[in-house]
C-alpha cells in the first residue's frame, strides 16, 4: 500500500513538474520577442527569459483574453495592481494606493489614494480614461483621457487631464511644501502629456487659468531685503538700465502675470527636446551648436521668478523649487506689482564679483549713478545679468563682454523710436569700456 502510494505521488509530482516546464516553455515560445522587438527580461522561479512587450500588451488587451484576468492582482513598485473587465468591454486597472518616486519633487513619493485606468485596443491603437483620487480627498479627483500607438519597437502615449483646482495639483505633487499651509491658491490647471516607452522621453504642457496666490507675504520679503545691497537706484520704468534689464531677462515682463505659459512646459528623458528637433530636421552638428549659441543662455524664468530666487534660499529638488517659485511669482506680480518689483530686482540683482544692486554696480563699473548711465553702458550692464561672473571675467580678460548677446539685448528694447534704436545699436557695436580691476 505504501509502495503504491509513493508511486502515485511520484507520478503526480513528475506530471506537475513536466506540466510546469511545458507551460513555461509554451509561454516562452509564444511571448518570445521577434528580431528588433522591444523586449523585457522576466523570471519564473529559477528560469529567466525575454518576452516581447508589444506581444504581451496585445495579449493582455485582447477581448478573448482580458476577461480572464478579472480578479487577479500582482504587486508592482507602484502598488498592488488589480484587473477587471467592464460591461463596456474595457480592461480595468486599479492601483490602490498608488505611488511613484519623483526625486525632482522631493523625498516623499507622489501618492494617490486610487488610480483607475481603462484600456481598449483597436489593432495597434490604444485608448481609455484615467482617474486619480488624491490622498484624503472625499469628492475631488483628477480625470482625463489617454491614447497610444503601439509598434514593435515602442509605445507612444498621449494624455489630457481635465481642469482641476491648482491647489489640488500642488497637494498631489508637493504635499510637503511648507507654503501650502498658508497659501490661498485660486484658478484651475489642465495638463497635456506625452510619453515614449521604452525610451522614457516625455513632455508636459500645463495650462493655467485665473491663477492667483495670496497669503505668502511676498511683499514683506521685498521690503525686508530692500536695502541689503546698498543705496537704491530708484530707477523709473523708462530708464535705459530698466529697459535693458527687461529686454535681457524677460521681454514680455509687462504682458504676463508673473509666469510664462510656455515656460511651464517640461520635457525630459532621452535627450534634449529642442536639440533633437533640430537634429531630426537634418541639421549638421555644427549648425545645431550654432543655433544654441545664437539663442543665448537657457531661459531662467520670468523676472518675477528670478526675484523669488533672490529672496528665498534654494531647495534641493529642482521641480519642487520651480513650483514654490511659481507661487511667490504669482503673488509678487500682483502685490507689490510690476513697477515696484522691477525696482526691487534692480536693487538686489547680482552684477558679478559678489557685487549686487544697480547703483553699486554702476558706480563701480562706470563711475556714475545708475540713473545717468549712457544707453550703451546700460545695455552693457543689462547683458551682464544673464551670466554675471562669467561675463565679468570675459570683460577683464578681453576688454569686451558678449557682443552678439549685447546686440540681441539692444534689439529687444521696446518702446523706443526707430532713430533711437539705430543710435543704440551703433553705440553698442562701437562700445569698448575699460574693465574694472580685479578685487
Amino acid at each position: 500500500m505504501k509502495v503504491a502510494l509513493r508511486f502515485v505521488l511520484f507520478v503526480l509530482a513528475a506530471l506537475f513538474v513536466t506540466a510546469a516546464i511545458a507551460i513555461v516553455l509554451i509561454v516562452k515560445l509564444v511571448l518570445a520577442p521577434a528580431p528588433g522587438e522591444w523586449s523585457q527580461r522576466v523570471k519564473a522561479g529559477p528560469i529567466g527569459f525575454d518576452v516581447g512587450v508589444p506581444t504581451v500588451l496585445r495579449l493582455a488587451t485582447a477581448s478573448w483574453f482580458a476577461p480572464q484576468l478579472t480578479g487577479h492582482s500582482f504587486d508592482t513598485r507602484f502598488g498592488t495592481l488589480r484587473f477587471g473587465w467592464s460591461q463596456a468591454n474595457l480592461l480595468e486597472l486599479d492601483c490602490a494606493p498608488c505611488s511613484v518616486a519623483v526625486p525632482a519633487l522631493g523625498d516623499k513619493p507622489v501618492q494617490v489614494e486610487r488610480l483607475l485606468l481603462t484600456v481598449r485596443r483597436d489593432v495597434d491603437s490604444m485608448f481609455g480614461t484615467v482617474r486619480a483620487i488624491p490622498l484624503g480627498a472625499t469628492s475631488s479627483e483628477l480625470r482625463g483621457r489617454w491614447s497610444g500607438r503601439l509598434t514593435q519597437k515602442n509605445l507612444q502615449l498621449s494624455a489630457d487631464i481635465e481642469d482641476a483646482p491648482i491647489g489640488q495639483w500642488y497637494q498631489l505633487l508637493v504635499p510637503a511644501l511648507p507654503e501650502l499651509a498658508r497659501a490661498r491658491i485660486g484658478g484651475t490647471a489642465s495638463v497635456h502629456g506625452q510619453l515614449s516607452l521604452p525610451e522614457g522621453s516625455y513632455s508636459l504642457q500645463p495650462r493655467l487659468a485665473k491663477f492667483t496666490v495670496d497669503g505668502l507675504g511676498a511683499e514683506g520679503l521685498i521690503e525686508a531685503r530692500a536695502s541689503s545691497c546698498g543705496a537704491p537706484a530708484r530707477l523709473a520704468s523708462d530708464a535705459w538700465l530698466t529697459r535693458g534689464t527687461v529686454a535681457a531677462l524677460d521681454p514680455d515682463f509687462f504682458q504676463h502675470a508673473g509666469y510664462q505659459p510656455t515656460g511651464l512646459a517640461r520635457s525630459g528623458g532621452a535627450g534634449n527636446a529642442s536639440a533633437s528637433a533640430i537634429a531630426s530636421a537634418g541639421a549638421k552638428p555644427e549648425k545645431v551648436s550654432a543655433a544654441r549659441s545664437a539663442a543665448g543662455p537657457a531661459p531662467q524664468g520670468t523676472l518675477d521668478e528670478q526675484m523669488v530666487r533672490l529672496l528665498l534660499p534654494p531647495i534641493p529638488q529642482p521641480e519642487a523649487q520651480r513650483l514654490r517659485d511659481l507661487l511667490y511669482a504669482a503673488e509678487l506680480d500682483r502685490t507689490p506689482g510690476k513697477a515696484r518689483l522691477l525696482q526691487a530686482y534692480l536693487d538686489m540683482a547680482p552684477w558679478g564679483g559678489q557685487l549686487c544692486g544697480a547703483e553699486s554696480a554702476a558706480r563701480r563699473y562706470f563711475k556714475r549713478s545708475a540713473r545717468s548711465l549712457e544707453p550703451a553702458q546700460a545695455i552693457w550692464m543689462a547683458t551682464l545679468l544673464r551670466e554675471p561672473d562669467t561675463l565679468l571675467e570675459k570683460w577683464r580678460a578681453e576688454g569686451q563682454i558678449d557682443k552678439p548677446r549685447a546686440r540681441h539685448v539692444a534689439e529687444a528694447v521696446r518702446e523706443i523710436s526707430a532713430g533711437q534704436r539705430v543710435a543704440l545699436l551703433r553705440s553698442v557695436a562701437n562700445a569698448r569700456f575699460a574693465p574694472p580691476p580685479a578685487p
Side-chain angles (χ1 to χ4, degrees):
M1 182 67 179
K2 290 182 180 180
V3 174
L5 181 59
R6 282 198 296 267
F7 176 76
V8 171
L9 292 175
F10 176 79
V11 171
L12 290 175
L15 289 174
F16 176 79
V17 171
T18 302
I21 294 174
I23 291 172
V24 170
L25 291 175
I26 292 171
V27 169
K28 180 178 179 180
L29 180 63
V30 171
L31 302 182
E37 185 179 7
W38 170 22
S39 63
Q40 179 69 42
R41 190 74 175 173
V42 300
K43 294 195 70 175
I47 302 175
F49 53 91
D50 293 330
V51 300
V53 175
T55 302
V56 172
L57 292 176
R58 291 188 181 98
L59 177 63
T61 55
S63 59
W64 58 269
F65 182 82
Q68 311 307 317
L69 297 174
T70 301
H72 292 277
S73 64
F74 65 94
D75 294 330
T76 72
R77 66 178 185 273
F78 309 110
T80 301
L81 188 63
R82 299 174 179 84
F83 290 90
W85 183 257
S86 73
Q87 294 181 348
N89 294 328
L90 293 173
L91 177 65
E92 296 178 332
L93 305 176
D94 185 350
C95 182
C98 214
S99 65
V100 59
V102 185
L105 287 172
D107 298 330
K108 189 174 182 180
V110 176
Q111 295 179 297
V112 293
E113 193 76 38
R114 193 176 186 187
L115 180 65
L116 294 162
L117 294 173
T118 63
V119 183
R120 173 178 286 171
R121 181 175 60 82
D122 183 5
V123 191
D124 286 334
S125 296
M126 303 176 70
F127 51 90
T129 61
V130 56
R131 295 169 53 203
I133 302 173
L135 287 174
T138 55
S139 57
S140 60
E141 62 181 40
L142 302 176
R143 293 174 174 264
R145 305 190 70 84
W146 68 271
S147 61
R149 182 71 179 175
L150 182 63
T151 71
Q152 288 297 94
K153 294 183 178 295
N154 58 27
L155 174 62
Q156 302 286 341
L157 296 170
S158 177
D160 285 283
I161 308 300
E162 300 170 2
D163 278 320
I166 295 175
Q168 184 173 312
W169 284 101
Y170 268 87
Q171 290 291 347
L172 172 66
L173 297 174
V174 282
L177 196 67
E179 282 78 7
L180 296 186
R182 60 183 190 278
R184 297 186 295 275
I185 305 173
T188 60
S190 59
V191 176
H192 173 74
Q194 293 181 307
L195 174 65
S196 178
L197 296 174
E199 297 91 344
S201 59
Y202 69 90
S203 66
L204 294 173
Q205 296 175 314
R207 296 179 289 268
L208 276 59
K210 300 180 179 180
F211 181 34
T212 61
V213 180
D214 291 294
L216 294 178
E219 184 176 12
L221 289 174
I222 286 182
E223 299 309 320
R225 293 278 308 278
S227 59
S228 60
C229 291
R234 304 186 190 283
L235 293 172
S237 297
D238 60 353
W240 280 109
L241 183 55
T242 305
R243 294 182 183 208
T245 297
V246 172
L249 300 181
D250 189 1
D252 296 323
F253 174 71
F254 290 103
Q255 283 72 51
H256 62 63
Y259 62 93
Q260 285 280 31
T262 54
L264 298 176
R266 296 288 178 272
S267 62
N272 178 273
S274 59
S276 299
I278 297 172
S280 64
K284 295 181 179 180
E286 59 268 24
K287 292 187 176 181
V288 173
S289 177
R292 287 171 174 164
S293 299
Q300 298 172 313
T302 65
L303 266 170
D304 308 71
E305 292 170 300
Q306 293 180 59
M307 186 69 195
V308 175
R309 293 196 286 273
L310 292 177
L311 294 171
L312 298 174
I315 54 181
Q317 298 81 21
E319 291 303 321
Q321 176 167 322
R322 292 183 71 96
L323 290 171
R324 180 204 66 178
D325 293 352
L326 182 60
L327 289 178
Y328 282 96
E331 183 170 307
L332 279 173
D333 203 74
R334 188 182 57 82
T335 306
K338 289 187 179 295
R340 176 67 183 119
L341 173 64
L342 190 51
Q343 282 187 335
Y345 178 83
L346 288 165
D347 289 337
M348 295 172 58
W351 300 89
Q354 300 183 337
L355 187 66
C356 67
E359 189 67 19
S360 299
R363 293 190 179 278
R364 176 165 176 76
Y365 296 156
F366 299 109
K367 304 299 187 290
R368 60 176 65 193
S369 70
R371 289 185 181 184
S372 60
L373 288 171
E374 297 174 1
Q377 292 172 329
I379 297 300
W380 196 283
M381 278 187 57
T383 303
L384 283 172
L385 284 170
R386 270 298 179 100
E387 299 173 287
D389 291 321
T390 300
L391 292 179
L392 178 58
E393 288 305 312
K394 180 179 175 66
W395 185 7
R396 286 179 174 145
E398 303 174 14
Q400 289 286 353
I401 57 170
D402 187 340
K403 271 300 191 67
R405 178 65 190 164
R407 179 180 176 84
H408 176 80
V409 172
E411 290 172 340
V413 173
R414 298 182 179 179
E415 297 184 359
I416 60 175
S417 68
Q420 286 178 308
R421 190 172 308 281
V422 170
L424 178 61
L425 291 172
R426 183 186 304 116
S427 63
V428 168
N430 296 329
R432 191 175 185 88
F433 301 110

